[in-house]
Amino acid sequence: QVQLVESGGGLVQTGGSLRLSCTASGSIFSIDAMAWYRQAPGKQRELVARIFSESRTNYADSVKGRFTISRDSAERTVFLQMNSLGPEDTAVYYCNVESRVVTGNSGALRYVISWGQGIQVTVSS
């Protein structure tokens, strides 16, 4: 019911920048929060940054001051601007959306957590 399309990953040198985008579509009534997670090889998936409907944000300590999350509510898109990248940022990055979707003919709302397919970010030293 919710589709997420991610873009913007790739290969960058240490100190470089990348901007990730994720657009949500489907039977969405409202979006509570949008976030980016990442998973490096051999490690657990971890929260990178999250932005709530009222634009409040939180970040992992490891990315504070380097990454910025923002959203375009009208376009249902979340961005992650990543600056001063280092090899430790190499991972697959996943978009995550918490939304309420319309279900059935009654128009009832259901809380749904959706994940993107993941996008590779590689930082070379």
Side-chain angles (χ1 to χ4, degrees):
Q1 290 175 307
V2 177
Q3 296 80 42
L4 302 180
V5 177
E6 302 156 327
S7 63
L11 173 65
V12 66
Q13 292 185 332
T14 294
S17 299
L18 284 174
R19 189 189 196 210
L20 304 182
S21 300
C22 172
T23 298
S25 62
S27 304
I28 299 172
F29 178 80
S30 63
I31 293 178
D32 292 352
M34 306 181 84
W36 288 95
Y37 286 72
R38 67 185 180 187
Q39 187 167 19
K43 294 188 177 181
Q44 290 187 330
R45 190 173 299 189
E46 62 175 356
L47 174 68
V48 176
R50 177 185 286 121
I51 184 166
F52 297 89
S53 58
E54 68 274 22
S55 296
R56 177 171 54 93
T57 60
N58 57 31
Y59 294 90
D61 288 342
S62 59
V63 306
K64 284 180 180 177
R66 300 189 298 124
F67 291 10
T68 302
I69 190 169
S70 61
R71 63 186 285 182
D72 181 331
S73 297
E75 297 297 326
R76 295 175 174 171
T77 299
V78 62
F79 305 98
L80 185 68
Q81 178 65 44
M82 305 184 292
N83 299 327
S84 301
L85 285 161
E88 67 277 11
D89 298 311
T90 295
V92 177
Y93 284 70
Y94 296 90
C95 179
N96 170 278
V97 173
E98 300 173 40
S99 63
R100 300 182 190 276
V101 300
V102 180
T103 60
N105 295 327
S106 66
L109 299 181
R110 182 164 63 94
Y111 176 74
V112 172
I113 298 176
S114 306
W115 291 92
Q117 77 281 4
I119 191 165
Q120 180 69 45
V121 171
T122 303
V123 185
S124 62
S125 57

